[in-house]
Amino acid sequence: MKKITIMIPEHKYSFFLELVKNLGLEKIKEEPIEASQEALDGLEQGFREVKLIQEGKMKGTPLQEFLDEL
């Protein structure tokens, strides 16, 4: 037996489940997508920095300088 993991757009999910059931593939395991806490913390920090830049309390990095660092 083989295992496949795929991402289904929300608007196609019910159609896909019906298709799988009609094919006789009964072993369906639904797994919600979970973001790691580290990723969430990074996003929160980024949003805080954007707010500080917009308020003039922190200096932003020019786009070209940011791209040069990559």
Side-chain angles (χ1 to χ4, degrees):
M1 183 175 284
K2 303 277 184 180
K3 177 181 177 180
I4 298 174
T5 302
I6 58 174
M7 304 283 288
I8 306 294
E10 196 68 37
H11 68 281
K12 298 278 187 173
Y13 187 71
S14 60
F15 168 77
F16 179 76
L17 283 181
E18 188 65 31
L19 177 64
V20 169
K21 289 176 185 176
N22 286 330
L23 291 173
L25 305 173
E26 297 296 326
K27 294 186 179 185
I28 300 171
K29 181 179 179 185
E30 296 183 37
E31 297 178 5
I33 300 172
E34 296 180 19
S36 70
Q37 189 61 44
E38 183 178 331
L40 292 175
D41 291 344
L43 283 172
E44 287 179 18
Q45 178 62 31
F47 288 130
R48 282 192 293 273
E49 289 177 11
V50 167
K51 185 176 180 183
L52 290 173
I53 291 169
Q54 289 175 337
E55 292 173 351
K57 297 178 181 178
M58 184 177 177
K59 184 179 176 190
T61 304
L63 177 59
Q64 190 59 49
E65 187 177 318
F66 173 77
L67 293 174
D68 289 343
E69 290 179 10
L70 296 176

